[in-house]
Amino acid sequence: MSNNTTKLPDGVADSIKIEVAARKKESRQLLLISIISVAIFLFLWEFAVRIGWIDSKHLSAPTTIVETFIMKLSDPNPEGGVLGTHIATSLGLVLVGYGAAVVIGVPLGLLMGYYHTFDKLVSPIFEIVRPIPPIAWIPLSIIWLGIGTTAKAFIIFLAAFVPCVINSYTGVKLTPAVYLNVAKTSGASTWEMFWTVSKNYAMPLVFTGVQVALGNAWSTLVAAEMLAAIAGLGYMIQQGRLLARPDIIIVGMLTIGVIGAILTFLLSKLENHIVKWRSRS
Amino acid sequence: MENQEIKVQVNHLTKRFGDLLVLDDVSFNIKKGEFVCIVGPTGCGKTTFLNLLTRLIEPTEGEILIDGEPADPKKHSISFVFQEPSAFPWLTAQQNIEYGLKIKKRPAEEIAAQTEKIISLLGLEKYRHAYPHEMSVSMEQRVVIGRAFALNPDLLLMDEPYGQMDIKMRYYLEDEVVRLWKATGSTVLFITHNLEEATYLAERVLVLTNKPAKIKANIEVDLPRPRKVSDPEFIRIRKEITEMIKWW
C-alpha cells in the first residue's frame, strides 16, 4: 500500500541495509558470470573463424558482423537498401498486419465469448481456419492479392489474428458468475454486463493473446517477405543467402531479434499500464 | 415498528426444478428499514430463495413485490452481497463502491457524496485507491458490503457474508453492518446459519425448514443495541431459535 512510512527500530533498519547490500553484491556477481560466458563464447567463435576451423563462407566472425552492421547503417550495397530502410519496411508491414489483427480479432473474440448466438455463428468458420498455418496461405494470397504489400500484410494478419481471437474469447468465457451476478442485480443491461464486467475480466488474457500474436506476426515476417520484395529484413536475409554473405544474414537475423524484443517490451509496458489491477504474485 | 410501511412482500413463493420442490409456498413481509435474518439448514434451498429474490431466476408460482410493484432489478435497487468475494478486481475500493451507482446512472454529485459517505463509514479513506489483490479477504468483503449499501437499496440481501471470517473479525464486521444499516436506513435481509449472529443482528428472525423450505417461525428480537451476547434475554432468544431447529 502507498503509505508505508512506519518508523523501524535501528537494529532492524541496519540489518535491512546489510541484506540489501548483500543482494546487490550477489546480483553483480551473477551479471559478471553472464558477461564472462558471453565473452568466452564470442572469443571462441572469432578464434575459430580466424584460424580457419570454420569457413568464413559459412559463418562470419563476430568482428566482421559488427563491421557489416556499421556499414549497413549507411551503405545500401550489396543487396540494395540501408538497414534503416529494411527496418522501416518490415515494421510498417508488421504493424499493418498485426494492427488489423488486434483491432478485428480482439473485439471479435470478446463478442464471441459473450454472445452465444454470435459464437455459434462465427465459431464453425473460425474452427476450420484456425489450424491452418499462416504460411500455407501464401499461394492463395498471391493469387488473390498479388505479390505486393497487401499480400504480405495479409499473411502477417492471419498469423496474429488467431491468438487474438482465442484469448479474448477464453477470457470472457472464464468470467466468474458471481461478478456477472453483481452487475445483474445492480440492474446492468446485457451490454453493460459485458462492458463493465466480462471485457475487464478478460483483459489479462487478451494481453497474453496480443503478446503471442506479436511473436507470431514478427516471426512470419521472414516468410512473408519471401514474396517478391525490394526491401525488408526478411528480404535482406534472403539476399544474404543469394549473395553468400553470412554476415548480412546474421545482421538481419539479429536485427529481427532485437526489434522483436523491443516490441515485446513496449507491449508489456502498455499491459502493465492497462492491467495494473492484476496481482503479480 | 407496527406503523411502518411494508417494503417487501413475498406472496406464496414456490419454486420447482422439474419434480423437485425446493421452496413451498413461502410468504412474508419486510417493513421498510427492517433488518431481518433468515436461518435455515444447509441445502434447504436458501440459494434458490435468494436467487428468486434478486430475480436471477424466475419463481414457479407466487410473486415478490417491492413497494407494491413486482420486483425488477432494472427498476428497483436490490443489492446482493454474495458469500464468495465479489469485489471487481479491476476496480479500486472507491470504484467498486461507485459501481452500482454508476450502473443506475445517478447524478455525478450524488455518486460522489454517497461514495464518500460509505468510505468514511467504513474508515477506508487510506485504501480508496487500493485494488482487491492488495486487500485482505475481510477488507475486500467490507468494500463489497459498502458497495451494496452505497445504492441505498430497496432491499439488501446478504448471503452469509462473514462465513469465511474468524470470530474476532465477525464481531467487528457485525457491528459495522449495523452501523451502515442505521446510517443508510436500508432494508436488509441477512442469511446465516450462525444463530448467535442472527440474534445479534436481526430485528426479526425467520426460521426455514428443511427442503422443501417453508417458514417455520417468525421471532421478534426486541433487544436494545449494542447487544450483549451474555445478556440473559439474548441467551433466551438464541435458545428459543436453537430449540426450533434442533429437529433439522
Side-chain angles (χ1 to χ4, degrees), chain A residues 1 185-186 192 196 200 277, chain B residues 78 89 99 104-105 133-134:
Chain A
M1 240 126 289
T185 51
S186 305
E192 284 172 325
T196 63
N200 293 314
W277 53 271
Chain B
I78 304 171
Y99 178 82
K104 293 280 181 201
K105 299 187 179 59
H133 79 264
E134 299 165 313

Side-chain angles (χ1 to χ4, degrees), chain B:
Chain B
M1 189 92 2
E2 270 70 34
N3 305 331
Q4 275 179 304
E5 58 180 297
I6 287 170
K7 187 73 182 173
V8 181
Q9 261 178 289
V10 176
N11 294 334
H12 309 291
L13 198 62
T14 301
K15 181 69 187 177
R16 277 189 208 91
F17 291 109
D19 290 338
L20 181 69
L21 182 62
V22 182
L23 214 60
D24 185 12
D25 194 22
V26 173
S27 296
F28 64 91
N29 293 336
I30 303 176
K31 282 169 249 163
K32 186 169 166 41
E34 199 177 15
F35 199 127
V36 175
C37 278
I38 292 191
V39 294
T42 326
C44 77
K46 202 186 61 190
T47 308
T48 306
F49 180 62
L50 285 172
N51 287 343
L52 284 167
L53 286 178
T54 46
R55 308 303 299 258
L56 287 172
I57 55 175
E58 290 298 313
T60 311
E61 280 162 41
E63 56 180 2
I64 303 153
L65 303 177
I66 295 180
D67 294 327
E69 288 178 87
D72 176 1
K74 294 220 166 54
K75 193 172 359 162
H76 299 111
S77 59
I78 304 171
S79 288
F80 202 139
V81 176
F82 295 89
Q83 201 168 359
E84 62 264 53
S86 64
F88 295 125
W90 53 90
L91 299 180
T92 62
Q94 180 171 344
Q95 292 166 333
N96 262 292
I97 292 168
E98 288 167 350
Y99 178 82
L101 294 161
K102 285 191 170 159
I103 288 290
K104 293 280 181 201
K105 299 187 179 59
R106 301 273 171 84
E109 314 84 70
E110 188 193 329
I111 294 178
Q114 191 66 7
T115 306
E116 280 317 304
K117 179 176 161 187
I118 297 291
I119 286 177
S120 86
L121 275 167
L122 292 170
L124 284 176
E125 289 89 347
K126 272 188 178 175
Y127 306 111
R128 62 169 76 221
H129 300 304
Y131 286 97
H133 79 264
E134 299 165 313
M135 301 175 193
S136 61
V137 178
S138 59
M139 195 195 284
E140 181 179 351
Q141 193 66 323
R142 291 169 64 208
V143 168
V144 169
I145 289 165
R147 176 176 69 192
F149 274 104
L151 270 175
N152 265 338
D154 293 311
L155 178 60
L156 173 51
L157 298 160
M158 304 176 87
D159 183 8
E160 293 192 31
Y162 307 137
Q164 299 172 14
M165 312 288 160
D166 61 52
I167 189 112
K168 200 175 150 199
M169 189 44 84
R170 271 183 104 114
Y171 283 145
Y172 176 76
L173 293 171
E174 284 162 7
D175 284 336
E176 184 172 80
V177 84
V178 169
R179 204 163 66 234
L180 284 162
W181 165 63
K182 291 265 185 199
T184 56
S186 301
T187 308
V188 180
L189 188 59
F190 190 106
I191 310 275
T192 178
H193 59 228
N194 184 326
L195 303 178
E196 188 174 278
E197 185 170 70
T199 318
Y200 189 78
L201 293 172
E203 294 184 286
R204 195 149 59 92
V205 178
L206 296 175
V207 184
L208 291 185
T209 64
N210 242 321
K211 198 180 278 176
K214 283 183 205 167
I215 294 186
K216 184 169 182 178
N218 182 354
I219 298 160
E220 299 276 346
V221 187
D222 192 11
L223 295 174
R225 295 178 197 269
R227 291 174 181 168
K228 287 201 174 59
V229 290
S230 53
D231 175 4
E233 184 59 12
F234 184 99
I235 295 169
R236 189 193 63 75
I237 295 172
R238 199 194 67 208
K239 277 193 176 150
E240 187 188 338
I241 302 170
T242 313
E243 282 303 312
M244 207 155 309
I245 57 176
K246 267 191 178 164
W247 307 103
W248 282 355

Side-chain angles (χ1 to χ4, degrees), chain A residues 39-53:
Chain A
I40 291 175
F41 173 74
L42 289 174
F43 173 77
L44 287 177
W45 177 358
E46 181 79 33
F47 185 71
V49 177
R50 285 283 171 93
I51 67 162
W53 284 352

Side-chain angles (χ1 to χ4, degrees), chain A residues 160-269:
Chain A
F161 182 65
V162 171
C164 286
V165 174
I166 292 179
N167 277 50
S168 309
Y169 174 86
T170 313
V172 169
K173 280 275 177 206
L174 291 177
T175 313
V178 67
Y179 296 141
L180 293 168
N181 285 340
V182 169
K184 200 171 184 181
T185 51
S186 305
S189 64
T190 314
W191 172 254
E192 284 172 325
M193 281 164 68
F194 167 73
W195 192 252
T196 63
V197 178
S198 292
K199 179 206 72 182
N200 293 314
Y201 183 82
M203 262 321 133
L205 258 177
V206 167
F207 264 97
T208 312
V210 164
Q211 282 278 15
V212 172
L214 181 67
N216 283 7
W218 198 240
S219 59
T220 313
L221 178 74
V222 180
E225 284 181 343
M226 280 184 192
L227 300 178
I230 49 160
L233 293 165
Y235 166 79
M236 182 176 165
I237 293 178
Q238 290 299 318
Q239 291 299 308
R241 179 178 65 89
L242 294 175
L243 297 164
R245 285 284 298 273
D247 54 334
I248 300 262
I249 297 176
I250 293 170
V251 168
M253 285 166 67
L254 289 176
T255 311
I256 290 176
V258 169
I259 292 180
I262 292 172
L263 290 177
T264 306
F265 172 77
L266 291 177
L267 195 58
S268 63
K269 281 280 160 205

